[in-house]
Amino acid sequence: MLFDQALAGNGAFAGRIGLVIVIILAFRTLSLLFGILFGTIIAKLAAKVAFDLKAAVFTSLQRLSLDFFMRRQTGQLMTRVNNDAQELQYFFVDGLSYFIVNAMNIIGIIAVLLWMDWRLTLICLLPMPLVFWLVRTAFPKLWRLSWRRHRKVSALNSIISDSVRGSRVVKAFGKEQVEIGRFQQANDAFSGAEQRFNKWSGTVFPILNFLTQAGGILIWAFGGWYVMQGRMSFGSVLTFVNYMMMLYGPIQFMNNIIGWWSNCMAAAQRIFEIQDAVPSVAERPGAVSLVTMKGDIEIDNVSFGYEPNKPILKQVSLRARPGQMIGVVGHSGAGKSTLVNLVSRLYDVTAGEIRIDGVNVKELSVASLRRHIGIVSQDIYVFTGTIAENIAYADPDCQMEDILHAAKIANAHDFIQKLPDGYDTEIGSGGYSLSGGEKQRLSIARAVLHNPKVLILDEATASLDTETELQIQEALDSLVKGRTTIAIAHRLSTLRQADYLVVMDKGAVVEAGTHDQLMAREGIYRELVRKHDEALKMKGEIIA
């Protein structure tokens, strides 16, 4: 219209340059409006896709069993939640939508080109078979390199996470240079993987772009020849070339999407690994939900191992009747903590049964089981937030009066009031740093607020000094009343209120009975008591 009619003075638009320009501006404006609309929709979609992906991955992580997390590093899981979800978001938001738009452009432009001159169109598409062959060859290589890059960045994130979380140990042993060396090694490995990926993609994509643009050069050659022969007007050749220029963008996008696709597929496979993972501790269909629990625990010939053919527990049996306190003692590595983990069903037994109120724990719903079991462990984790929020973790809907009551029972109220903002003091990452004993008392306050029917004390006073231990022991004495309690302790004084004692050694129950009964025997328990008394005596002499 512009060259062959308006400027040449022929046809319906002869001399009407202004009208042609107005028509061009109108279509450009229409294109701009659709572009703005498209960008607005994509912006909303991007946020929603990122939210849904990360929520899906995190939700899948929460339903998996404890052994899944024990076998993986924190940095690796963080990479999957953040980076892999981001990769999928980029593809589905910036990749797939533009892929559809560009595919429609390619189809539409090629249709117009074929209508204008099918011979020239076939000439400009001559390099396409070579492009497709290169894509088919490059795709698997890029996928493998993307996988390798992900593994290296996961290892790098894990080292960063370990170093930051274990900064106290690093400083205590003066291992800063060692950590720098570990980081540099992992960083170098990631840099190498990144360079190999970038070199490959940096070689393949320019070649692809050159091949796709070679069609334009052919159009100038053959189109110019057509004009010289009078078989095509100059305006038609320019129009053809402009359509070819419009085609380069979508084709170049299709070339670039290969790299996105390889990254996306690798990220999707890692995410699906989490999504499709089957928890080792799974709730059975029609699981029994206990509204109330008496606390009658029966462990019947239980065997368990974290790995096949490596048993930790061997045919362990014991009975805790409602309201009883059972003490479990033994050397380190005897399987005491493993036993209580099985009672709360953090792991499932390999053989035998654990029954609560006569029902196998495998038949109980996980929610109802955990609702009636409280754990005070030697491994205390403080969440980022306030003191009140940490105590209320067991019952987020509780009132402030309940938090105060729980803190007083745990003998935590006095030290909390002395903190800068009392119960509103921020603790955890970047907040106020609590001592081991203070964290332990917060853990006990959580258990008080949880108000369980079955209480598990796993070295509950391990981090406390003698004076604080006496205070906590008073709190525990009132806490265990009316509850079935299984208590593990190296400090045998902690178990003075136990109704029954079980002695474990190398994963088996070797002695059982009351304190007096076990002291009457020449066994492991008596030897443990003797060593404990000697240690206390030595400690008293040192203090004196």
Side-chain angles (χ1 to χ4, degrees):
M1 288 165 55
L2 181 64
F3 286 94
D4 294 342
Q5 294 187 30
L7 294 179
N10 298 317
F13 292 93
R16 304 173 71 180
I17 298 175
L19 178 60
V20 173
I21 297 300
V22 168
I23 293 172
I24 292 173
L25 286 174
F27 275 99
R28 291 291 175 88
T29 304
L30 190 63
S31 175
L32 174 65
L33 293 175
F34 274 107
I36 294 172
L37 178 62
F38 180 71
T40 304
I41 294 171
I42 287 297
K44 292 181 180 179
L45 182 65
K48 290 181 180 179
V49 168
F51 176 85
D52 289 344
L53 277 172
K54 292 180 180 180
V57 177
F58 190 78
T59 302
S60 297
L61 282 174
Q62 295 305 308
R63 68 175 176 79
L64 295 176
S65 306
L66 191 61
D67 57 345
F68 176 87
F69 299 94
M70 295 295 102
R71 295 194 301 267
R72 286 164 175 82
Q73 293 177 307
T74 305
Q76 186 186 52
L77 295 176
M78 288 170 60
T79 302
R80 295 198 183 193
V81 174
N82 288 318
N83 295 17
D84 288 345
Q86 203 75 26
E87 288 281 0
L88 284 183
Q89 176 205 337
Y90 286 151
F91 180 77
F92 284 108
V93 174
D94 295 333
L96 188 61
S97 54
Y98 284 99
F99 173 82
I100 295 170
V101 171
N102 284 299
M104 293 173 65
N105 280 337
I106 290 172
I107 294 169
I109 291 170
I110 290 177
V112 172
L113 291 176
L114 287 170
W115 173 73
M116 289 183 66
D117 193 302
W118 63 271
R119 289 179 295 269
L120 272 183
T121 305
L122 293 179
I123 290 171
C124 75
L125 295 178
L126 279 177
M128 287 300 108
L130 190 56
V131 169
F132 292 138
W133 174 83
L134 192 58
V135 166
R136 186 179 180 85
T137 305
F139 183 85
K141 178 72 173 177
L142 284 170
W143 195 343
R144 287 194 298 271
L145 289 175
S146 177
W147 255 106
R148 189 175 302 167
R149 184 176 60 172
H150 169 80
R151 288 196 298 270
K152 300 304 180 184
V153 76
S154 294
L156 186 66
N157 287 341
S158 295
I159 289 175
I160 296 171
S161 176
D162 287 345
S163 183
V164 172
R165 292 168 66 89
S167 57
R168 186 186 297 271
V169 178
V170 173
K171 298 293 182 185
F173 286 91
K175 296 296 182 182
E176 291 88 347
Q177 291 302 319
V178 174
E179 290 301 309
I180 291 172
R182 287 179 63 212
F183 176 81
Q184 293 290 20
Q185 186 177 359
N187 195 22
D188 185 60
F190 168 67
S191 178
E194 180 82 359
Q195 287 181 41
R196 283 188 290 273
F197 179 84
N198 290 339
K199 283 178 182 177
W200 184 256
S201 59
T203 302
V204 170
F205 294 142
I207 294 174
L208 289 174
N209 291 334
F210 172 77
L211 290 173
T212 53
Q213 293 179 16
I217 300 172
L218 294 174
I219 293 303
W220 279 114
F222 285 91
W225 184 52
Y226 279 6
V227 171
M228 292 171 64
Q229 287 188 330
R231 296 171 58 183
M232 181 179 283
S233 67
F234 179 67
S236 298
V237 172
L238 281 179
T239 304
F240 209 97
V241 170
N242 275 293
Y243 270 119
M244 280 299 302
M245 297 297 291
M246 291 172 63
L247 194 60
Y248 290 153
I251 290 178
Q252 187 170 355
F253 175 86
M254 294 302 181
N255 292 339
N256 294 336
I257 206 172
I258 300 166
W260 287 9
W261 177 257
S262 62
N263 290 339
C264 170
M265 287 299 98
Q269 191 168 344
R270 292 188 293 267
I271 285 179
F272 291 149
E273 183 184 336
I274 294 177
Q275 296 274 62
D276 299 337
V278 178
S280 58
V281 178
E283 187 174 291
R284 295 181 179 178
V288 178
S289 180
L290 290 179
V291 179
T292 58
M293 183 183 285
K294 298 176 183 176
D296 188 356
I297 303 173
E298 188 175 359
I299 300 173
D300 186 12
N301 287 319
V302 163
S303 297
F304 173 77
Y306 294 105
E307 298 179 19
N309 303 319
K310 291 183 180 180
I312 304 296
L313 299 179
K314 307 164 189 173
Q315 295 183 328
V316 174
S317 296
L318 64 89
R319 179 77 178 272
R321 300 188 183 280
Q324 266 191 334
M325 180 177 181
I326 304 296
V328 183
V329 298
H331 298 291
S332 296
K336 305 183 296 297
S337 295
T338 300
L339 180 63
V340 294
N341 284 339
L342 294 175
V343 173
S344 56
R345 212 189 166 202
L346 296 177
Y347 299 92
D348 270 341
V349 300
T350 307
E353 282 189 1
I354 296 178
R355 294 183 289 273
I356 297 181
D357 293 354
V359 182
N360 191 328
V361 292
K362 291 184 179 180
E363 303 293 338
L364 293 173
S365 70
V366 175
S368 69
L369 178 66
R370 306 272 167 82
R371 186 169 60 246
H372 294 296
I373 295 180
I375 301 176
V376 180
S377 173
Q378 59 182 325
D379 299 321
I380 310 149
Y381 189 81
V382 176
F383 293 93
T384 301
T386 65
I387 291 277
E389 288 169 347
N390 268 271
I391 295 176
Y393 188 77
D395 184 10
D397 298 325
C398 68
Q399 301 297 318
M400 191 63 198
E401 292 77 11
D402 301 323
I403 296 173
L404 292 171
H405 176 69
K408 288 176 181 177
I409 292 178
N411 284 325
H413 180 69
D414 292 339
F415 90 78
I416 293 174
Q417 283 191 315
K418 296 176 183 177
L419 295 178
D421 297 310
Y423 283 85
D424 293 325
T425 301
E426 290 284 336
I427 57 175
S429 178
Y432 184 86
S433 180
L434 299 177
S435 69
E438 290 169 342
K439 290 179 182 178
Q440 190 68 279
R441 278 180 273 185
L442 283 189
S443 177
I444 293 171
R446 275 184 203 157
V448 172
L449 191 63
H450 187 46
N451 194 24
K453 193 62 182 177
V454 174
L455 184 65
I456 294 173
L457 306 177
D458 187 0
E459 297 288 355
T461 57
S463 303
L464 308 177
D465 56 62
T466 305
E467 181 182 352
T468 308
E469 181 188 358
L470 293 174
Q471 296 174 349
I472 295 300
Q473 195 59 54
E474 292 175 5
L476 292 176
D477 289 344
S478 60
L479 179 61
V480 301
K481 289 179 181 177
R483 293 180 171 86
T484 305
T485 306
I486 300 177
I488 297 172
H490 282 110
R491 296 182 184 182
L492 300 181
S493 57
T494 309
L495 302 177
R496 66 179 184 269
Q497 299 295 332
D499 299 299
Y500 196 73
L501 294 169
V502 173
V503 184
M504 295 188 67
D505 187 44
K506 296 179 181 178
V509 175
V510 292
E511 295 177 8
T514 63
H515 171 78
D516 295 334
Q517 289 172 345
L518 294 177
M519 287 298 293
R521 303 177 189 172
E522 296 288 339
I524 294 177
Y525 181 77
R526 184 168 177 172
E527 182 66 16
L528 287 171
V529 172
R530 184 185 66 78
K531 290 181 179 178
H532 180 261
D533 291 342
E534 287 179 358
L536 288 178
K537 184 179 178 181
M538 187 181 298
K539 184 177 180 181
E541 290 173 353
I542 292 172
I543 293 173

